[in-house]
Amino acid sequence: MASLDEAQLVRRIARGDRAAFEELYRRTSPWLAVRLRRRCADQQLVAEVMQETYLAVWRAGGAFAGDAVNGTAVGWLWTIAARRLVDGFRRQARHARVPAVTAEAASVPAAEDDALASEVGGTVGDALQRLAPELRQVLQAMVLDGLSVRETALLLGVPEGTVKTRARRARIAMREALS
């Protein structure tokens, strides 16, 4: 199993391979938990989202399109988790609880910021790093994670108008930095 990549593991999961599922979970659950905790301070909600995400992977492994849509298994996994987190925030909102969002640590760059910088290098990566954290968060949620304005608002715990304003400011700042 160690020689297989995540996409191959997902394909085996689709055929009911429990060992492949366990290997995928072992490889991805620490990373996924950290990424979810950065967006939500409610540990119970994070645990629920983790469980729902991996249950969805087990049930719908055959839905992974992979290379056919230029996707990765880890990206597919994150898409499932992000949408489950938004669903969790919606459930909480219906019960009159406000989702707690963790503040971004100012002194230590996040692992996903490092990954983003290495993935999007050069001038674009430098421009992204110079953005204010709240603007970068909106860009990450909307552009990289593919969330809608409403989903981004729920994820970040801010009004939809604020998301729209931050997205506009981020686009203007990126345009200026790249011109």
Side-chain angles (χ1 to χ4, degrees):
M1 289 288 163
S3 64
L4 299 175
D5 66 15
E6 287 79 9
Q8 292 168 321
L9 290 173
V10 171
R11 287 186 188 90
R12 285 182 171 220
I13 291 168
R15 294 190 304 261
D17 187 335
R18 188 172 188 80
F21 179 79
E22 290 171 1
E23 178 67 15
L24 181 72
Y25 182 83
R26 185 191 63 73
R27 287 185 195 178
T28 60
S29 63
W31 164 84
L32 186 61
V34 167
R35 195 161 184 192
L36 288 169
R37 281 189 208 112
R38 288 201 63 233
R39 287 165 170 76
C40 177
D42 184 344
Q43 295 304 314
Q44 182 177 352
L45 181 57
V46 169
E48 289 173 15
V49 168
M50 293 279 294
Q51 183 175 11
E52 291 172 8
T53 298
Y54 285 102
L55 182 60
V57 168
W58 177 254
R59 289 181 175 165
F64 172 61
D67 296 335
V69 293
N70 293 326
T72 65
V74 174
W76 179 67
L77 183 69
W78 171 245
T79 300
I80 294 169
R83 297 206 188 275
R84 295 291 190 269
L85 184 60
V86 169
D87 291 344
F89 285 154
R90 286 181 182 145
R91 281 191 307 269
Q92 285 183 336
R94 273 187 254 133
H95 293 92
R97 287 181 51 201
V98 177
V101 178
T102 59
E104 192 169 333
S107 61
V108 179
E112 65 188 31
D113 290 336
D114 289 341
L116 178 63
S118 67
E119 189 70 27
V120 182
T123 309
V124 176
D126 293 341
L128 279 171
Q129 291 302 319
R130 285 194 301 267
L131 282 178
E134 65 273 7
L135 300 181
R136 191 169 48 249
Q137 284 177 334
V138 168
L139 275 184
Q140 284 176 322
M142 293 180 72
V143 176
L144 299 177
D145 298 338
L147 301 180
S148 68
V149 170
R150 183 166 192 200
E151 292 168 333
T152 300
L154 286 168
L155 182 67
L156 299 177
V158 297
E160 288 181 39
T162 302
V163 169
K164 290 176 185 178
T165 301
R166 288 179 182 175
R168 182 175 181 277
R169 286 178 49 209
R171 282 192 294 270
I172 290 170
M174 289 294 291
R175 195 174 303 125
E176 289 173 359
L178 296 173
S179 61

